[in-house]
Structure formats: C-alpha cells, structure tokens
Amino acid sequence: MEVLRSLDVSAKEIADVVSQDIGMTSKVLQLVNSSLFGIQRQITDPTQAVIYLGPELVRQLVLVASAFSAFQPKNLRCFSITGLQNHSLAVGGLARRIGQSLGLSTAAVGYAAVGGLLHDIGKLVLACHDPEKYDEAIRRAKANGTNQRMAEVEAFGTTHAEVGAYLLWLWALPDPITEVVLRHHEFPSDPKGVSSPAVAVCVANALVNGELDKDGVACFTAIGMGDKLVDWQQWSREAGP
C-alpha cells in the first residue's frame, strides 16, 4: 500500500511488490483476466496488469484479494466462500457494463466494478465474528422465506451492508466504493441519483440474484430507465448464473 501511494512509482515497482506474494499475484491476475474487465487478450504478468489497470485500481484489487484471504469463516453449512466469490465477480462484471451504459466516468466505472466485488464483504465479517449465529440466521431466513438482511438485524443488530461499508471506511477506500457497499440493496427513487456506481451495483446485484421484482422494474420505469433495464436484464442472462 505504501508503494501504491507513491506518486513516482513505476508499474514494474508495483508489480515487483505484488509478485512477492504468490496468493496476491494469482488473485490479481485472476481478477484482471475475468469477465469483470472484459479484456480481449490474456494477461499473465503482474506488470502488464498494473499497466492496463493503473495503480489506483490495482490498489483496490489488492484489497479485494486481501479481504477474501483475511476472512475465512469455517464450519458453515449455509454459507459458501467460493459461491460468494463467484457471485461477487458476476456482480462486478455486470456493474461495470451497466456503469458504462449510464455514461459514468472511467473512474466511476472502476468504482462500480470494485464495489461489485466487495459489496458483500460484510457477510464474511459477520460469518467470522460468530459462524454459528450467522449460519443460523441464513438457515432461518431460507426456511421462513424472509429477507436475509432482516435475519442479520435480528441476530446482530445490523446488516452486512452496514458492516461492510464500515470496514471499507476503516480501510480508507474511496468514498464511492464505501457508498456502493452501504447502498447495494437500495433502488433509486430520483432520476438525478441514477448515474452512480451505487446504482450500477444495486441493479447488477438484484439481476444476478434474480431479485428484481415488479416493484423494482416499476421504479426504473418511473424514472425513465425502462429501456436501459431491458438491456441490463439481457446482459445478466448472457452472463449466466
């Protein structure tokens, strides 16, 4: 992180630091070659990854890799880290496309992509804090057909969105990414607030989860985004589960 904050650091110097950690190297290369960024050629060298993504995005991906490595809850029957990682990649990739379709800046599209990767990081925190309680909360929500966030509030007094946002604030990630994590279940009610990384991730998450109900569709139709929503739904189906 110290190297990445330096103003005159080269791509090779950043790559040399990343390369010292095998796990970090493999995760950064996995992410840069995933559908998240839509690169047409295979990148196999950390230096190439840094040149393509830029230091700021690499910094965020390093934090993503570290986050999934740091939180490894065990003995959970209803929770899969692999499943969460796959879901996060799908949401991040779709959020990137949605952000581009909304005309977001390059930086904002990057925030949407990384925010999509990290939007459920709070689930890992809660699961590590008390695995049995979190497992029971998930089981109870599935059995009763209730909202998982409500089950989290009943068990912990907070939701994974709030916990995740607080963690990223402590890590000093950019405010737009923290906002993405905090609001990734909140649909926009004002047309002026549609063009943001948080909305891109919210829609992507709902589509990947199959949770965009009639109310959600009506919400986007009411603010003049019905046509775009059709495209987003198609992209989600193309991406698969």
Side-chain angles (χ1 to χ4, degrees), residues 161 165 177-187 198-199 201-202:
I177 295 180
T178 302
E179 182 183 11
V180 163
V181 175
L182 180 63
R183 305 188 183 282
H184 71 268
H185 287 292
E186 299 179 15
F187 288 109
V199 170
V201 174
C202 175

Side-chain angles (χ1 to χ4, degrees), residues 11-27:
K12 185 178 184 306
E13 288 174 301
I14 297 173
D16 286 344
V17 175
V18 172
S19 298
Q20 292 176 23
D21 187 302
I22 296 175
M24 187 181 299
T25 301
S26 62
K27 181 58 67 175

Side-chain angles (χ1 to χ4, degrees), residues 107-128:
V109 169
Y111 291 147
V114 175
L117 282 173
L118 288 170
H119 73 284
D120 276 342
I121 190 66
K123 291 183 177 181
L124 290 179
V125 178
L126 293 175
C128 281

Side-chain angles (χ1 to χ4, degrees), residues 49-134:
V50 175
I51 292 173
Y52 179 83
L53 296 174
E56 177 59 27
L57 195 50
V58 169
R59 184 174 80 93
Q60 295 163 16
L61 290 183
V62 166
L63 282 171
V64 171
S66 300
F68 279 101
S69 298
F71 299 102
Q72 293 288 329
K74 299 178 180 179
N75 303 320
L76 290 171
R77 298 182 301 276
C78 301
F79 184 82
S80 166
I81 293 182
T82 300
L84 181 63
Q85 289 177 318
N86 292 337
H87 167 76
S88 299
L89 279 171
V91 171
L94 182 57
R96 179 183 62 83
R97 294 189 68 182
I98 291 174
Q100 290 171 335
S101 76
L102 289 171
L104 301 185
S105 66
T106 300
V109 169
Y111 291 147
V114 175
L117 282 173
L118 288 170
H119 73 284
D120 276 342
I121 190 66
K123 291 183 177 181
L124 290 179
V125 178
L126 293 175
C128 281
H129 173 69
D130 194 328
E132 292 184 3
K133 182 184 289 187
Y134 193 66

Side-chain angles (χ1 to χ4, degrees), residues 151-221:
E152 291 171 349
V153 171
E154 291 176 0
F156 297 96
T158 187
T159 69
H160 67 271
E162 294 168 334
V163 170
Y166 182 62
L167 174 67
L168 299 190
W169 176 77
L170 290 175
W171 284 355
L173 261 69
D175 288 343
I177 295 180
T178 302
E179 182 183 11
V180 163
V181 175
L182 180 63
R183 305 188 183 282
H184 71 268
H185 287 292
E186 299 179 15
F187 288 109
S189 57
D190 184 349
K192 295 180 181 179
V194 168
S195 295
S196 73
V199 170
V201 174
C202 175
V203 178
N205 183 57
L207 289 173
V208 171
N209 280 334
E211 294 177 349
L212 189 63
D213 56 16
K214 292 181 180 179
D215 291 339
V217 173
C219 170
F220 280 95
T221 302

